[in-house]
Amino acid sequence: MVCTVVAGSFWGDEGKGKVVSYLALKDKVDVCVRTGSVNAAHTVHHQGRRYALHMVPSTFVYGGCRLLIGPGANIHIHQLLKEVQETGVKDRIGVDNQASIIEPHHSAADKNDSYLKSLGTTGWGVGPAVQERAKRSAKLAKDVRELKPFLTDVAEEVNTAIDADKTVVLEGTQGLMLSLYHGSYPYVTSRDTSAAAICSESGVGPSRVDRVLVVYKAFITRVGAGDLPGELPKEEALHKGWFETAAGTGRERRSAPFNFDLARRAAKIHGATESAITKIDILYPSAKNATSFNQLPTEAMDFIAQVEEATCVPATIIGTGPGALDIIDRRNSFSTCTS
Ligand code: IMP
Ligand code: MG
């Protein structure tokens, strides 16, 4: 029974939703804490439906999982209630008393402020809500009538689960390059997105974590403003099958080849113990739907080996298609990095 932190590597959209939903089904995750806020959309394919979750943890796919939103999160009440209904989880979701609230004026400020616009924010109001929290004038979840049925002490629940040897996932949002501290400032989000921050937002101390899973995508995408090393023209991205639109805002994602230096840095700062590499089937179409490593073409195996060498952690989970179970799971048989 383990506590795993799942963290993004680049500018988000690496497929954390898919990886977390896989862990939920495969490991029967007992408790999941989602951190961050409504600006991130985690895509989950489940029972023929596609969900773009902005608030509800991606482990909802496993009916036995207690779903928690941590004290470091910022709650968009309308979006939360909508997703709770869509996913049918009202009896097993909890919101920390001290999570703070995004109010309509925060979203308005995010959309209308010319500086925030120039950064290409998602417009959900997260940055202005975080400012309010830092000013110590934010409204908290415990003060909101609609949230009363869900209120809980997340740190207490999750630490009790760890004490009882339950399987726990801390679901991070965005990627390290969007971190307020470690990312491409000022073109970043309004909080730290590192594995340590995911623990802090959940109320879990570093010594209680067993695994840190950094999620890479086989190529890089970015929405919003700011430099993207090796950025491809849109036509080339379309040609390669790398062109994507954002799950949350529908904006076009810019794309670039995998960056080994950034991958190394992300693994280091997260303190990764292992990695997931998603969308390997987009780089190597014959990898599609593979569920064992030896079904992969040699080029894909070589790419995975290069990522392992650059990051010094084993790539234990390989994504080969959009479904939660389109995964090669090597957690029991990985090769360790010797460099
Ligand atoms: P904000 O987080 O809405 O303030 O936006 C700041 C920057 O982070 C913008 O470049 C956004 O596109 C980016 N961003 C925020 N959340 C996500 C995400 O979940 N995926 C990708 N980019 C994101
Ligand atoms: Mg996303």
Side-chain angles (χ1 to χ4, degrees), residues 11-16 39-43 53 174 246-248 253:
W11 284 272
D13 307 317
E14 300 96 356
K16 290 177 292 299
N39 44 0
H42 284 186
T43 303
L53 299 169
Q174 290 112 4
R253 290 181 184 156

Coordinates of all heavy atoms in Angstrom, one line a residue, residues 11-16 39-43 53 174 246-248 253, ligand 2:
W11 N 4.4 21.9 -19.6 CA 3.4 23.0 -19.4 C 2.0 22.4 -19.3 O 1.0 22.9 -19.8 CB 3.5 23.9 -20.6 CG 4.6 24.8 -20.6 CD1 4.7 26.0 -19.9 CD2 5.9 24.6 -21.1 NE1 5.9 26.6 -20.1 CE2 6.7 25.8 -20.8 CE3 6.5 23.6 -21.9 CZ2 8.1 25.9 -21.2 CZ3 7.9 23.7 -22.3 CH2 8.6 24.9 -21.9
G12 N 1.9 21.3 -18.5 CA 0.6 20.7 -18.3 C 0.1 19.8 -19.5 O 0.9 19.7 -20.5
D13 N -1.0 19.2 -19.4 CA -1.6 18.5 -20.5 C -0.8 17.3 -20.9 O -0.7 17.0 -22.1 CB -1.9 19.4 -21.7 CG -2.8 20.6 -21.2 OD1 -3.7 20.3 -20.4 OD2 -2.5 21.7 -21.6
E14 N -0.1 16.7 -20.0 CA 0.7 15.5 -20.3 C -0.1 14.2 -20.2 O 0.4 13.2 -20.6 CB 1.9 15.4 -19.3 CG 2.8 16.6 -19.2 CD 2.5 17.6 -18.1 OE1 1.4 17.4 -17.4 OE2 3.2 18.6 -18.0
G15 N -1.3 14.3 -19.7 CA -2.1 13.1 -19.6 C -2.2 12.6 -18.2 O -2.4 11.4 -17.9
K16 N -2.1 13.6 -17.2 CA -2.2 13.1 -15.8 C -3.6 12.5 -15.5 O -3.6 11.5 -14.7 CB -2.0 14.3 -14.9 CG -0.5 14.8 -14.9 CD -0.3 16.1 -14.0 CE -1.0 17.3 -14.6 NZ -0.6 17.7 -15.9
N39 N -8.5 25.9 -13.3 CA -7.9 26.2 -14.6 C -7.4 25.0 -15.3 O -7.2 25.0 -16.5 CB -6.7 27.2 -14.3 CG -5.9 26.8 -13.1 OD1 -6.1 25.8 -12.4 ND2 -4.9 27.7 -12.8
A40 N -7.1 23.9 -14.6 CA -6.6 22.6 -15.2 C -7.8 21.7 -15.5 O -8.7 21.5 -14.7 CB -5.7 21.9 -14.2
A41 N -7.7 21.2 -16.7 CA -8.7 20.1 -17.1 C -8.0 18.8 -17.2 O -7.0 18.7 -18.0 CB -9.4 20.5 -18.4
H42 N -8.5 17.8 -16.5 CA -7.9 16.5 -16.6 C -8.9 15.6 -17.4 O -10.0 15.4 -17.0 CB -7.6 15.9 -15.2 CG -6.4 16.5 -14.6 ND1 -5.9 16.0 -13.4 CD2 -5.6 17.5 -15.0 CE1 -4.8 16.8 -13.1 NE2 -4.6 17.6 -14.1
T43 N -8.4 15.1 -18.5 CA -9.3 14.3 -19.4 C -9.2 12.8 -19.0 O -8.2 12.2 -18.8 CB -8.8 14.4 -20.9 OG1 -8.8 15.8 -21.2 CG2 -9.7 13.7 -21.8
L53 N -12.3 17.0 -16.5 CA -12.5 17.4 -15.1 C -11.7 18.5 -14.6 O -10.5 18.5 -14.7 CB -12.2 16.1 -14.2 CG -13.1 14.9 -14.5 CD1 -12.5 13.7 -13.7 CD2 -14.5 15.1 -14.1
Q174 N -1.3 20.8 -13.7 CA -0.4 21.5 -14.6 C 1.0 20.8 -14.5 O 1.1 19.7 -14.2 CB -0.2 23.0 -14.1 CG -1.5 23.8 -14.4 CD -2.3 24.2 -13.2 OE1 -1.9 24.0 -12.0 NE2 -3.4 24.9 -13.4
A246 N -7.1 22.7 -26.3 CA -7.1 22.5 -24.8 C -8.4 21.9 -24.4 O -9.5 22.3 -24.9 CB -6.9 23.8 -24.1
A247 N -8.3 20.9 -23.5 CA -9.5 20.2 -23.0 C -10.5 21.2 -22.2 O -11.7 21.0 -22.3 CB -9.1 19.1 -22.0
G248 N -9.9 22.2 -21.6 CA -10.7 23.1 -20.8 C -11.3 24.3 -21.6 O -12.5 24.5 -21.8
R253 N -3.3 24.3 -28.9 CA -2.1 24.1 -28.2 C -0.9 24.2 -29.2 O -1.0 23.7 -30.3 CB -2.0 22.7 -27.5 CG -3.0 22.6 -26.3 CD -2.9 21.2 -25.7 NE -3.9 21.1 -24.6 CZ -4.4 19.9 -24.2 NH1 -4.0 18.8 -24.8 NH2 -5.2 19.9 -23.2
Ligands
MG2 MG -5.3 19.7 -19.2

